[in-house]
PDB file of all heavy atoms in Angstrom:
ATOM      1  N   SER A   1      99.193 107.750 117.884  1.00  0.00           N
ATOM      2  CA  SER A   1      99.901 109.037 117.768  1.00  0.00           C
ATOM      3  C   SER A   1     100.752 109.076 116.500  1.00  0.00           C
ATOM      4  O   SER A   1     101.195 110.149 116.106  1.00  0.00           O
ATOM      5  CB  SER A   1     100.829 109.203 118.984  1.00  0.00           C
ATOM      6  OG  SER A   1     101.750 108.157 119.054  1.00  0.00           O
ATOM      7  N   THR A   2     100.940 107.929 115.814  1.00  0.00           N
ATOM      8  CA  THR A   2     101.744 107.913 114.620  1.00  0.00           C
ATOM      9  C   THR A   2     101.110 108.671 113.453  1.00  0.00           C
ATOM     10  O   THR A   2     101.783 108.931 112.475  1.00  0.00           O
ATOM     11  CB  THR A   2     102.004 106.468 114.164  1.00  0.00           C
ATOM     12  OG1 THR A   2     100.750 105.798 114.052  1.00  0.00           O
ATOM     13  CG2 THR A   2     102.898 105.730 115.147  1.00  0.00           C
ATOM     14  N   VAL A   3      99.848 109.037 113.565  1.00  0.00           N
ATOM     15  CA  VAL A   3      99.221 109.767 112.481  1.00  0.00           C
ATOM     16  C   VAL A   3      99.799 111.189 112.367  1.00  0.00           C
ATOM     17  O   VAL A   3      99.548 111.880 111.398  1.00  0.00           O
ATOM     18  CB  VAL A   3      97.686 109.891 112.684  1.00  0.00           C
ATOM     19  CG1 VAL A   3      97.080 108.510 112.618  1.00  0.00           C
ATOM     20  CG2 VAL A   3      97.352 110.634 113.914  1.00  0.00           C
ATOM     21  N   THR A   4     100.590 111.604 113.325  1.00  0.00           N
ATOM     22  CA  THR A   4     101.150 112.936 113.261  1.00  0.00           C
ATOM     23  C   THR A   4     102.503 112.938 112.551  1.00  0.00           C
ATOM     24  O   THR A   4     103.126 113.980 112.403  1.00  0.00           O
ATOM     25  CB  THR A   4     101.356 113.496 114.689  1.00  0.00           C
ATOM     26  OG1 THR A   4     102.249 112.613 115.438  1.00  0.00           O
ATOM     27  CG2 THR A   4     100.039 113.595 115.423  1.00  0.00           C
ATOM     28  N   GLU A   5     102.949 111.766 112.104  1.00  0.00           N
ATOM     29  CA  GLU A   5     104.235 111.710 111.399  1.00  0.00           C
ATOM     30  C   GLU A   5     104.183 112.462 110.057  1.00  0.00           C
ATOM     31  O   GLU A   5     103.109 112.571 109.463  1.00  0.00           O
ATOM     32  CB  GLU A   5     104.608 110.249 111.117  1.00  0.00           C
ATOM     33  CG  GLU A   5     104.893 109.443 112.395  1.00  0.00           C
ATOM     34  CD  GLU A   5     105.338 108.040 112.067  1.00  0.00           C
ATOM     35  OE1 GLU A   5     106.103 107.897 111.071  1.00  0.00           O
ATOM     36  OE2 GLU A   5     104.954 107.118 112.752  1.00  0.00           O
ATOM     37  N   ASP A   6     105.314 112.913 109.608  1.00  0.00           N
ATOM     38  CA  ASP A   6     105.373 113.630 108.335  1.00  0.00           C
ATOM     39  C   ASP A   6     105.039 112.721 107.168  1.00  0.00           C
ATOM     40  O   ASP A   6     105.437 111.571 107.101  1.00  0.00           O
ATOM     41  CB  ASP A   6     106.797 114.199 108.106  1.00  0.00           C
ATOM     42  CG  ASP A   6     107.112 115.270 109.138  1.00  0.00           C
ATOM     43  OD1 ASP A   6     106.135 115.899 109.653  1.00  0.00           O
ATOM     44  OD2 ASP A   6     108.309 115.500 109.434  1.00  0.00           O
ATOM     45  N   ILE A   7     104.298 113.264 106.211  1.00  0.00           N
ATOM     46  CA  ILE A   7     103.936 112.502 105.018  1.00  0.00           C
ATOM     47  C   ILE A   7     104.367 113.367 103.830  1.00  0.00           C
ATOM     48  O   ILE A   7     103.932 114.520 103.662  1.00  0.00           O
ATOM     49  CB  ILE A   7     102.435 112.257 104.986  1.00  0.00           C
ATOM     50  CG1 ILE A   7     102.031 111.409 106.176  1.00  0.00           C
ATOM     51  CG2 ILE A   7     102.054 111.525 103.682  1.00  0.00           C
ATOM     52  CD1 ILE A   7     100.525 111.223 106.268  1.00  0.00           C
ATOM     53  N   LYS A   8     105.130 112.782 102.941  1.00  0.00           N
ATOM     54  CA  LYS A   8     105.570 113.499 101.764  1.00  0.00           C
ATOM     55  C   LYS A   8     104.540 113.358 100.627  1.00  0.00           C
ATOM     56  O   LYS A   8     103.890 112.318 100.505  1.00  0.00           O
ATOM     57  CB  LYS A   8     106.922 112.955 101.276  1.00  0.00           C
ATOM     58  CG  LYS A   8     108.082 113.211 102.230  1.00  0.00           C
ATOM     59  CD  LYS A   8     109.349 112.640 101.651  1.00  0.00           C
ATOM     60  CE  LYS A   8     110.522 112.884 102.651  1.00  0.00           C
ATOM     61  NZ  LYS A   8     111.779 112.320 102.098  1.00  0.00           N
ATOM     62  N   VAL A   9     104.449 114.408  99.840  1.00  0.00           N
ATOM     63  CA  VAL A   9     103.498 114.368  98.725  1.00  0.00           C
ATOM     64  C   VAL A   9     103.783 113.214  97.798  1.00  0.00           C
ATOM     65  O   VAL A   9     102.892 112.544  97.318  1.00  0.00           O
ATOM     66  CB  VAL A   9     103.530 115.682  97.929  1.00  0.00           C
ATOM     67  CG1 VAL A   9     102.637 115.625  96.712  1.00  0.00           C
ATOM     68  CG2 VAL A   9     103.117 116.840  98.837  1.00  0.00           C
ATOM     69  N   GLY A  10     105.055 112.921  97.562  1.00  0.00           N
ATOM     70  CA  GLY A  10     105.408 111.874  96.647  1.00  0.00           C
ATOM     71  C   GLY A  10     105.031 110.487  97.152  1.00  0.00           C
ATOM     72  O   GLY A  10     104.990 109.535  96.369  1.00  0.00           O
ATOM     73  N   ASP A  11     104.711 110.336  98.439  1.00  0.00           N
ATOM     74  CA  ASP A  11     104.367 109.063  98.997  1.00  0.00           C
ATOM     75  C   ASP A  11     102.896 108.758  98.831  1.00  0.00           C
ATOM     76  O   ASP A  11     102.456 107.652  99.147  1.00  0.00           O
ATOM     77  CB  ASP A  11     104.701 108.998 100.496  1.00  0.00           C
ATOM     78  CG  ASP A  11     106.184 109.010 100.748  1.00  0.00           C
ATOM     79  OD1 ASP A  11     106.912 108.603  99.841  1.00  0.00           O
ATOM     80  OD2 ASP A  11     106.600 109.437 101.852  1.00  0.00           O
ATOM     81  N   ILE A  12     102.100 109.705  98.361  1.00  0.00           N
ATOM     82  CA  ILE A  12     100.631 109.488  98.224  1.00  0.00           C
ATOM     83  C   ILE A  12     100.325 108.789  96.937  1.00  0.00           C
ATOM     84  O   ILE A  12     100.709 109.236  95.837  1.00  0.00           O
ATOM     85  CB  ILE A  12      99.888 110.846  98.285  1.00  0.00           C
ATOM     86  CG1 ILE A  12     100.146 111.528  99.632  1.00  0.00           C
ATOM     87  CG2 ILE A  12      98.406 110.615  98.053  1.00  0.00           C
ATOM     88  CD1 ILE A  12      99.503 112.899  99.713  1.00  0.00           C
ATOM     89  N   ALA A  13      99.656 107.643  97.070  1.00  0.00           N
ATOM     90  CA  ALA A  13      99.282 106.861  95.876  1.00  0.00           C
ATOM     91  C   ALA A  13      97.840 107.013  95.598  1.00  0.00           C
ATOM     92  O   ALA A  13      97.006 106.970  96.501  1.00  0.00           O
ATOM     93  CB  ALA A  13      99.628 105.389  96.087  1.00  0.00           C
ATOM     94  N   SER A  14      97.438 107.189  94.317  1.00  0.00           N
ATOM     95  CA  SER A  14      96.059 107.326  93.943  1.00  0.00           C
ATOM     96  C   SER A  14      95.432 105.958  93.835  1.00  0.00           C
ATOM     97  O   SER A  14      96.037 105.022  93.349  1.00  0.00           O
ATOM     98  CB  SER A  14      95.929 108.045  92.609  1.00  0.00           C
ATOM     99  OG  SER A  14      96.466 109.349  92.677  1.00  0.00           O
ATOM    100  N   PRO A  15      94.133 105.800  94.243  1.00  0.00           N
ATOM    101  CA  PRO A  15      93.479 104.512  94.103  1.00  0.00           C
ATOM    102  C   PRO A  15      93.258 104.174  92.635  1.00  0.00           C
ATOM    103  O   PRO A  15      93.041 105.035  91.827  1.00  0.00           O
ATOM    104  CB  PRO A  15      92.139 104.717  94.828  1.00  0.00           C
ATOM    105  CG  PRO A  15      91.900 106.192  94.745  1.00  0.00           C
ATOM    106  CD  PRO A  15      93.255 106.847  94.813  1.00  0.00           C
ATOM    107  N   SER A  16      93.311 102.872  92.375  1.00  0.00           N
ATOM    108  CA  SER A  16      93.136 102.442  90.997  1.00  0.00           C
ATOM    109  C   SER A  16      91.646 102.400  90.639  1.00  0.00           C
ATOM    110  O   SER A  16      90.798 102.485  91.495  1.00  0.00           O
ATOM    111  CB  SER A  16      93.695 101.031  90.814  1.00  0.00           C
ATOM    112  OG  SER A  16      92.949 100.083  91.592  1.00  0.00           O
ATOM    113  N   SER A  17      91.365 102.276  89.329  1.00  0.00           N
ATOM    114  CA  SER A  17      89.950 102.201  88.862  1.00  0.00           C
ATOM    115  C   SER A  17      89.246 100.976  89.443  1.00  0.00           C
ATOM    116  O   SER A  17      88.078 100.982  89.717  1.00  0.00           O
ATOM    117  CB  SER A  17      89.909 102.196  87.359  1.00  0.00           C
ATOM    118  OG  SER A  17      90.605 101.045  86.840  1.00  0.00           O
ATOM    119  N   GLU A  18      90.021  99.874  89.685  1.00  0.00           N
ATOM    120  CA  GLU A  18      89.404  98.686  90.244  1.00  0.00           C
ATOM    121  C   GLU A  18      88.879  98.976  91.660  1.00  0.00           C
ATOM    122  O   GLU A  18      87.796  98.499  92.035  1.00  0.00           O
ATOM    123  CB  GLU A  18      90.419  97.550  90.286  1.00  0.00           C
ATOM    124  CG  GLU A  18      90.745  96.917  88.941  1.00  0.00           C
ATOM    125  CD  GLU A  18      91.795  97.767  88.195  1.00  0.00           C
ATOM    126  OE1 GLU A  18      92.268  98.777  88.783  1.00  0.00           O
ATOM    127  OE2 GLU A  18      92.145  97.393  87.031  1.00  0.00           O
ATOM    128  N   GLU A  19      89.668  99.704  92.423  1.00  0.00           N
ATOM    129  CA  GLU A  19      89.243  99.990  93.811  1.00  0.00           C
ATOM    130  C   GLU A  19      88.073 100.941  93.835  1.00  0.00           C
ATOM    131  O   GLU A  19      87.184 100.803  94.643  1.00  0.00           O
ATOM    132  CB  GLU A  19      90.438 100.550  94.612  1.00  0.00           C
ATOM    133  CG  GLU A  19      91.413  99.474  95.028  1.00  0.00           C
ATOM    134  CD  GLU A  19      92.845  99.845  94.764  1.00  0.00           C
ATOM    135  OE1 GLU A  19      93.096 101.014  94.430  1.00  0.00           O
ATOM    136  OE2 GLU A  19      93.712  98.991  94.887  1.00  0.00           O
ATOM    137  N   ILE A  20      88.050 101.939  92.899  1.00  0.00           N
ATOM    138  CA  ILE A  20      86.902 102.849  92.842  1.00  0.00           C
ATOM    139  C   ILE A  20      85.645 102.077  92.426  1.00  0.00           C
ATOM    140  O   ILE A  20      84.577 102.239  93.005  1.00  0.00           O
ATOM    141  CB  ILE A  20      87.185 103.969  91.814  1.00  0.00           C
ATOM    142  CG1 ILE A  20      88.315 104.866  92.314  1.00  0.00           C
ATOM    143  CG2 ILE A  20      85.908 104.782  91.571  1.00  0.00           C
ATOM    144  CD1 ILE A  20      88.756 105.875  91.324  1.00  0.00           C
ATOM    145  N   ASN A  21      85.810 101.158  91.470  1.00  0.00           N
ATOM    146  CA  ASN A  21      84.649 100.337  91.066  1.00  0.00           C
ATOM    147  C   ASN A  21      84.168  99.472  92.193  1.00  0.00           C
ATOM    148  O   ASN A  21      82.971  99.181  92.298  1.00  0.00           O
ATOM    149  CB  ASN A  21      85.015  99.487  89.829  1.00  0.00           C
ATOM    150  CG  ASN A  21      85.215 100.284  88.597  1.00  0.00           C
ATOM    151  OD1 ASN A  21      84.648 101.408  88.481  1.00  0.00           O
ATOM    152  ND2 ASN A  21      85.997  99.772  87.627  1.00  0.00           N
ATOM    153  N   ALA A  22      85.119  98.999  93.020  1.00  0.00           N
ATOM    154  CA  ALA A  22      84.706  98.135  94.144  1.00  0.00           C
ATOM    155  C   ALA A  22      83.830  98.908  95.103  1.00  0.00           C
ATOM    156  O   ALA A  22      82.842  98.384  95.645  1.00  0.00           O
ATOM    157  CB  ALA A  22      85.949  97.622  94.879  1.00  0.00           C
ATOM    158  N   VAL A  23      84.149 100.162  95.359  1.00  0.00           N
ATOM    159  CA  VAL A  23      83.319 100.991  96.236  1.00  0.00           C
ATOM    160  C   VAL A  23      81.952 101.202  95.628  1.00  0.00           C
ATOM    161  O   VAL A  23      80.919 101.065  96.324  1.00  0.00           O
ATOM    162  CB  VAL A  23      83.993 102.385  96.470  1.00  0.00           C
ATOM    163  CG1 VAL A  23      83.076 103.261  97.291  1.00  0.00           C
ATOM    164  CG2 VAL A  23      85.298 102.165  97.230  1.00  0.00           C
ATOM    165  N   GLU A  24      81.898 101.502  94.310  1.00  0.00           N
ATOM    166  CA  GLU A  24      80.611 101.725  93.651  1.00  0.00           C
ATOM    167  C   GLU A  24      79.773 100.484  93.629  1.00  0.00           C
ATOM    168  O   GLU A  24      78.545 100.516  93.839  1.00  0.00           O
ATOM    169  CB  GLU A  24      80.845 102.258  92.213  1.00  0.00           C
ATOM    170  CG  GLU A  24      81.486 103.629  92.211  1.00  0.00           C
ATOM    171  CD  GLU A  24      81.814 104.082  90.802  1.00  0.00           C
ATOM    172  OE1 GLU A  24      81.776 103.209  89.880  1.00  0.00           O
ATOM    173  OE2 GLU A  24      82.098 105.264  90.599  1.00  0.00           O
ATOM    174  N   LEU A  25      80.411  99.316  93.404  1.00  0.00           N
ATOM    175  CA  LEU A  25      79.692  98.060  93.367  1.00  0.00           C
ATOM    176  C   LEU A  25      79.142  97.722  94.745  1.00  0.00           C
ATOM    177  O   LEU A  25      78.001  97.273  94.865  1.00  0.00           O
ATOM    178  CB  LEU A  25      80.637  96.892  92.922  1.00  0.00           C
ATOM    179  CG  LEU A  25      80.056  95.530  92.885  1.00  0.00           C
ATOM    180  CD1 LEU A  25      78.861  95.484  91.884  1.00  0.00           C
ATOM    181  CD2 LEU A  25      81.092  94.484  92.444  1.00  0.00           C
ATOM    182  N   ASN A  26      79.933  98.029  95.790  1.00  0.00           N
ATOM    183  CA  ASN A  26      79.465  97.790  97.149  1.00  0.00           C
ATOM    184  C   ASN A  26      78.244  98.599  97.459  1.00  0.00           C
ATOM    185  O   ASN A  26      77.278  98.131  98.021  1.00  0.00           O
ATOM    186  CB  ASN A  26      80.578  98.123  98.136  1.00  0.00           C
ATOM    187  CG  ASN A  26      80.123  97.989  99.562  1.00  0.00           C
ATOM    188  OD1 ASN A  26      79.954  96.870 100.079  1.00  0.00           O
ATOM    189  ND2 ASN A  26      79.897  99.124 100.230  1.00  0.00           N
ATOM    190  N   ASN A  27      78.245  99.881  97.008  1.00  0.00           N
ATOM    191  CA  ASN A  27      77.095 100.775  97.237  1.00  0.00           C
ATOM    192  C   ASN A  27      75.862 100.240  96.527  1.00  0.00           C
ATOM    193  O   ASN A  27      74.769 100.223  97.057  1.00  0.00           O
ATOM    194  CB  ASN A  27      77.462 102.170  96.694  1.00  0.00           C
ATOM    195  CG  ASN A  27      76.387 103.185  97.053  1.00  0.00           C
ATOM    196  OD1 ASN A  27      75.679 102.983  98.039  1.00  0.00           O
ATOM    197  ND2 ASN A  27      76.299 104.236  96.299  1.00  0.00           N
ATOM    198  N   SER A  28      76.054  99.784  95.268  1.00  0.00           N
ATOM    199  CA  SER A  28      74.928  99.269  94.481  1.00  0.00           C
ATOM    200  C   SER A  28      74.366  98.029  95.145  1.00  0.00           C
ATOM    201  O   SER A  28      73.123  97.901  95.278  1.00  0.00           O
ATOM    202  CB  SER A  28      75.401  98.973  93.048  1.00  0.00           C
ATOM    203  OG  SER A  28      74.334  98.372  92.314  1.00  0.00           O
ATOM    204  N   LYS A  29      75.195  97.102  95.523  1.00  0.00           N
ATOM    205  CA  LYS A  29      74.713  95.872  96.172  1.00  0.00           C
ATOM    206  C   LYS A  29      74.003  96.168  97.476  1.00  0.00           C
ATOM    207  O   LYS A  29      73.007  95.597  97.821  1.00  0.00           O
ATOM    208  CB  LYS A  29      75.896  94.913  96.423  1.00  0.00           C
ATOM    209  CG  LYS A  29      76.421  94.291  95.128  1.00  0.00           C
ATOM    210  CD  LYS A  29      77.524  93.318  95.419  1.00  0.00           C
ATOM    211  CE  LYS A  29      78.022  92.609  94.161  1.00  0.00           C
ATOM    212  NZ  LYS A  29      79.149  91.685  94.472  1.00  0.00           N
ATOM    213  N   ASN A  30      74.608  97.122  98.247  1.00  0.00           N
ATOM    214  CA  ASN A  30      73.984  97.427  99.531  1.00  0.00           C
ATOM    215  C   ASN A  30      72.603  98.011  99.389  1.00  0.00           C
ATOM    216  O   ASN A  30      71.676  97.682 100.079  1.00  0.00           O
ATOM    217  CB  ASN A  30      74.900  98.422 100.312  1.00  0.00           C
ATOM    218  CG  ASN A  30      74.505  98.563 101.736  1.00  0.00           C
ATOM    219  OD1 ASN A  30      74.267  97.576 102.428  1.00  0.00           O
ATOM    220  ND2 ASN A  30      74.487  99.801 102.237  1.00  0.00           N
TER     221      ASN A  30
END
């Protein structure tokens, strides 16, 4: 039920390029 808690815009962090590359690499390997 905690997913209903308030979330401020300032608290949202964008993923780094390393994490995006990790997703793409995982897709390629798979």
Side-chain angles (χ1 to χ4, degrees):
S1 59
T2 53
V3 297
T4 60
E5 294 184 39
D6 294 334
I7 299 174
K8 294 181 180 179
V9 175
D11 291 336
I12 298 176
S14 300
S16 66
S17 60
E18 288 82 1
E19 282 133 11
I20 294 173
N21 290 336
V23 175
E24 293 175 347
L25 178 61
N26 176 75
N27 187 25
S28 176
K29 288 182 177 179
N30 192 45

